[in-house]
Amino acid sequence: MATLEINRKMYQVDVPADTPLLWALRDSLKLHGTKYGCGIEQCGACTVHLNGRAVRSCGITVGEVAGKSVTTIEGLSAHSSHPVQQAWTEVDVPQCGYCQTGMIMATAALLERNPKPSDRDIDRTISNICRCGTYNQVRAAIHRAAQIKEGA
Amino acid sequence: MKNSALAGGGLALGFSGFTKLATAETESALPPYLHIASDGGIHLGVPSSEMGQGTHTTLAMLVAEELEVEMAQIRHIETLHHPDFKNIYLRELAPKFNFQTTGGSCSIQSWHQPFRKLGATARELLRSAAALHWSVPVAECIAENGRVEHSSSGRRLGYGELAQSASRLTPPDNLVLKSPEQFRLLGKPVPRWDTPGKVNGTARFGTDVDLPGMLYGTVKHCPVCGDKITKVDDVRAKAVPGVISVIPLEDHAVVVADSTWAAMNGAKALILKGAGGHPDFNDDSISQILRDDLSKPGVPAAHVGDPADAMSNASQVLEMEYEVPLQAHAAMEPLSATASVTPDRCEVWAPTQLQDGAMMVAMGVTELPPEKIRIHTTYLGGGFGRKVDIDYLVAPLVASKILGKPVKIIWSREEDTRHDFYRPPFLVRMRFGLNAKGKIEGLMAKMVGPSCTLHFAKALGFFFPAWIDENGYDFVAAVSMFDPFALPNTYAIPNLHVDYVPSKIPINFGFWRSTGASHNSFALESALDEVAYAGGRDSYEFRRGLLIDRPRALFVLDRVAELSNWGKAPAGLFQGISFTHYLETFQAQVVEVSVSKRGKIKVHKITCVADCGQVFNSHIAKQQLEGGILYGLTAALKGEINVQGGQVVQSNFDDYPMLKLKDTPEINVHLMENHEAPGGLGEAGTPLIGPAVANAVFAATGKRVRRLPIRRKDLV
């Protein structure tokens, strides 16, 4: 039994401590917005925030997140009001959408540390994989989100 | 069209009679496609699976345009498994192929007219209902923005208020569809209907299905291709906490547990012994088979004029060969499906591109009649042709039937990569006969490789010409190499002959975004570049000469040259060009690359011009072309699938790398504006980028690329 703080609420999760956070979120807590893509921290579809930093939840265990604060896409904002979600909607980025929640979480964490990322910053930081090829719209939406955030 | 009053009230429409297979019995047992509720909310059932290509949005726009509602009034869109929804376009190509499927980039070609008619029929019924209500002529009743207004009195009734009475009227016979000048929505970059759920995490994919009492599972295959299980050692697997059951099937086993993680750990601990496969098979065996088959005659795939004569009279013959290896689909969502089987009922939730195939598997496993089975289609986290195949539906059905509970199966990325239905390896030989002026008088082409479709014909138990024929012909292997659609629309070569040799290679092959065009365009577009260069001609001008009598093709080619500043690349950058008529879409691309001394290729800019006829959503159309281009660019510059010891070498994104944001160049997509019949777009961008890059690499380095993906070591 592990106690997790997810989206500002405490949960008791009955899984072994070495269970990846990803599977506790998805199977135990039914927070399905965080996706499984590779299981080896390569694709970023499972990106969540751990104490505000982007982490790939397939590579961190339930035991390791005890006492820390986890935010998933479901807890990023009410009504998609986060600047990154607003920008994503405005640019109309998604295609299949499977990687997009991870992209959004990675971007939201980037903007917390770097409110006006350059293209180079984006290239270095956003290494999530999208097979539909939304990358140029993702880049446009990141710049737009920075603008929205600045104006907020 | 058939109108039926719903128990719950409102107007429900289906186009019974539109397709031959719709029968009264099946329709009454199934939900309607268009339902206007008494509160005005519109619920829409569509034939096509939504896998990123935006088909839900575009189909809803087609209805909304004619129905005179805003997109906000469309409350629900769902892919329905329905006998009316057999793929019209593919059935016209191959009459015996009569299935509900989303593939071949033809959703809009299939459904744009039926869905506009659906909207227009509902609109006319609502106008008639209002006219009856007010006792005024129908002509005075104007449908607009979800309501009907009486022109002279200004009285108004919302669609929701009219739906019940409209449902009792007879649909009109003579529908007048709007002309393109009247379009409010069609052609515009209308926001995708599915974006909100994909931005807040509520969009439900195959992996997200959740049912009360559901168990979780995964699969493990025999690693060697063709092996069948002979022995299962599941002692350690069953000792993994949470593992409930290990169920061996023919070539794979299902591990069921109380969580996905436990199931995956169980699968890791499971030992399968197999036999009967091909442990000696490797990359060299594949190359050898293709090379041996090159001397075989094959089946004719295209023929014009007298190519033998043209070749023997040629003053110069140029011959070249091009090769491509296996590629995996690598959709972001690994294969997944969920089933709930009870003795008298079966439900399947699947991110499938082939609803009728899911039904067949469900019938086979459960032995239930179709009326007791429901196939629900979730969003697909990418399809790219992989989810046309039905192998991944067996495990959840069998497990649920045995265990008596709903079971959700998710494949690991490793299983997904190693047990794909791959883009087949191909070898294409091009032989051109030129006259003294360097003009092409004859072409002999031969495509050698396994059929994508054969496994499908075997599974169904019959061939379906003119797609796949008993003699070995496979349209999708030959597509884009002067196939029957392309022939009148592509390069005019006075004498040509194309053969296809279907190779036998004991690996699963299937439909990979752009299928045969992915190797045929690479071969043809590279070869034309070589012929142009050999004659000292500019590659664009040379193509121009071959397309001079094809006005739509010529427009596209000229436009791409103009927009890309063809011939005027910035210093240090080099251009490559390609053209195709594929999916009834004319398209040309120009790419700008630089190549470092160490052979590192950087793609700087891609210009794409497409004439796909009438465009219904310009935003989605551009997304599709751009996405298709990046899918092809990954296959041109990144990894490939290798086989050693009968096993696929690659397993995950660490050894099968994908293009990322940092690798993505500027892409400018330009759509020609006209009202020609719509062509396909979903796969259109993929095949042209490889040859465009290869031609640019030649311009930069003088090294001709004859195999994709381009390897750095070949350029230094």
Side-chain angles (χ1 to χ4, degrees), chain B residues 323-616:
Chain B
E323 233 179 313
V324 295
L326 288 81
Q327 288 287 3
H329 294 81
M332 285 312 298
E333 180 181 36
L335 291 164
S336 173
T338 303
S340 176
V341 181
T342 60
D344 58 358
R345 181 121 189 101
C346 169
E347 290 194 76
V348 176
W349 292 262
T352 178
Q353 292 181 251
L354 184 70
Q355 285 74 16
D356 284 335
M359 174 60 87
M360 282 180 211
V361 176
M363 287 169 69
V365 172
T366 64
E367 297 176 347
L368 289 170
E371 59 271 19
K372 298 203 166 170
I373 301 172
R374 282 288 296 276
I375 307 297
H376 308 272
T377 306
T378 65
Y379 281 139
L380 282 69
F384 313 122
R386 174 62 178 93
K387 295 163 188 174
V388 175
D389 278 296
I390 52 184
D391 54 319
Y392 65 99
L393 297 162
V394 177
L397 281 157
V398 170
S400 178
K401 186 183 176 186
I402 290 176
L403 299 170
K405 288 182 175 178
V407 178
K408 173 165 75 176
I409 300 289
I410 301 179
W411 289 32
S412 67
R413 172 60 58 192
E414 289 78 8
E415 286 288 309
D416 187 276
T417 305
R418 288 190 162 144
H419 301 281
D420 199 350
F421 284 72
Y422 301 95
R423 191 280 300 279
F426 257 80
L427 173 62
V428 183
R429 185 178 69 195
M430 309 291 290
R431 193 181 274 163
F432 291 89
L434 312 178
N435 68 14
K437 291 176 183 168
K439 182 173 176 288
I440 299 173
E441 290 294 343
L443 164 63
M444 303 284 260
K446 189 179 270 188
M447 308 163 297
V448 182
S451 160
C452 308
T453 316
L454 185 62
H455 72 289
F456 220 47
K458 281 182 180 166
L460 296 171
F462 57 89
F463 290 90
F464 33 94
W467 176 352
I468 184 164
D469 212 338
E470 262 171 285
N471 70 1
Y473 176 79
D474 180 1
F475 172 80
V476 302
V479 70
S480 280
M481 189 61 89
F482 303 95
D483 70 71
F485 292 91
L487 199 58
N489 296 298
T490 190
Y491 306 113
I493 292 177
N495 306 287
L496 67 85
H497 185 84
V498 179
D499 280 316
Y500 167 49
V501 185
S503 295
K504 289 193 174 70
I505 293 176
I507 295 175
N508 290 329
F509 299 109
F511 310 106
W512 183 90
R513 195 174 192 173
S514 82
T515 61
S518 70
H519 41 80
N520 294 335
S521 269
F522 170 52
L524 178 58
E525 293 305 304
S526 299
L528 288 176
D529 211 65
E530 296 205 43
V531 174
Y533 182 80
R537 303 278 308 278
D538 173 83
S539 203
Y540 154 63
E541 291 292 344
F542 186 71
R543 282 175 172 75
R544 227 185 160 270
L546 295 169
L547 294 170
I548 203 78
D549 297 324
R550 317 281 203 235
R552 287 178 72 186
L554 205 59
F555 275 133
V556 161
L557 189 72
D558 286 347
R559 194 87 175 103
V560 83
E562 180 194 333
L563 291 172
S564 66
N565 276 321
W566 174 258
K568 297 178 207 111
L573 301 190
F574 299 86
Q575 292 172 321
I577 191 168
S578 57
F579 162 84
T580 189
H581 174 274
Y582 168 51
L583 306 166
E584 304 193 54
T585 289
F586 300 83
Q587 190 200 166
Q589 294 178 11
V590 168
V591 62
E592 277 179 15
V593 310
S594 61
V595 184
S596 77
K597 287 201 176 82
R598 290 179 177 176
K600 186 169 165 46
I601 298 167
K602 182 171 168 59
V603 179
H604 296 260
K605 191 166 93 175
I606 297 165
T607 308
C608 169
V609 176
D611 172 359
C612 59
Q614 178 78 53
V615 173
F616 293 124

Side-chain angles (χ1 to χ4, degrees), chain B residues 120-166:
Chain B
T121 304
R123 179 193 71 215
E124 292 310 308
L125 288 170
L126 292 158
R127 286 178 67 212
S128 298
L132 280 172
H133 188 80
W134 294 320
S135 302
V136 298
V138 177
E140 293 175 10
C141 296
I142 296 157
E144 196 176 33
N145 198 16
R147 63 189 180 212
V148 181
E149 184 172 324
H150 181 229
S151 52
S152 54
S153 69
R155 281 175 291 180
R156 289 171 181 168
L157 281 169
Y159 284 180
E161 299 167 277
L162 290 165
Q164 189 71 36
S165 46

